[in-house]
Amino acid sequence: RRLYILFGLLAILLLLPLNVEAKRPPKQGVYTQLKFDKTSHDFGTILRERRKYNCVFKVENVGSEPLVILKVLTSCSCLKAHYSRRPIMPGEESYIRVTIEAEKMQEGVFHRVIELYSNAGKTLFTVQGTSVRKR
């Protein structure tokens, strides 16, 4: 019985440092800051037969470290996002071009979201408008 108690105490002592380690605050990483000329775009009325419409979002690195765009996700298969894969150095700017493939959209009002993930965090962009058929 004493042997079980001894092993139990030994196990608790061995696991104790793991709990202390887990409670330490995470190390702060090196991040940068980004600035946009806009985070939404209104296409107004678009014709489905015209096929494609574009808008551009300007991204500027206003931080002190290189800005890396990790990925850009769109909320619909009718949206495509194009961006440079190379890091944006401090003081430089780049562009995210969003293309709407109007023939893939349903008629009516639309509101779509684009998510940008970078080493500065997550940013949301929106595009909106109304899709109509040519009459």
Side-chain angles (χ1 to χ4, degrees), residues 33-36 58-62 67 91-94:
Q33 295 178 332
L34 54 153
K35 182 177 134 184
F36 302 95
K58 182 172 83 169
V59 181
E60 184 179 355
N61 182 351
V62 294
L67 171 68
E92 289 184 355
E93 55 190 42
S94 187

Side-chain angles (χ1 to χ4, degrees), residues 54-122:
N54 295 304
C55 70
V56 176
F57 296 95
K58 182 172 83 169
V59 181
E60 184 179 355
N61 182 351
V62 294
S64 59
E65 298 294 325
L67 171 68
V68 179
I69 297 175
L70 304 171
K71 63 182 172 180
V72 178
L73 302 176
T74 60
S75 64
C76 175
S77 64
C78 61
L79 285 180
K80 303 292 183 228
H82 309 277
Y83 60 96
S84 174
R85 304 293 199 263
R86 71 174 189 83
I88 305 166
M89 299 316 237
E92 289 184 355
E93 55 190 42
S94 187
Y95 299 91
I96 299 169
R97 184 171 48 94
V98 176
T99 302
I100 289 187
E101 296 175 345
E103 72 274 7
K104 293 182 179 180
M105 299 183 74
Q106 293 182 356
E107 285 187 72
V109 175
F110 64 89
H111 183 87
R112 303 289 189 265
V113 177
I114 300 112
E115 298 174 64
L116 180 140
Y117 293 89
S118 71
N119 61 331
K122 175 181 168 181

Side-chain angles (χ1 to χ4, degrees), residues 19-29:
N19 290 336
V20 172
E21 184 72 28
K23 292 181 182 179
R24 287 185 188 167
K27 290 184 178 180
Q28 295 297 320

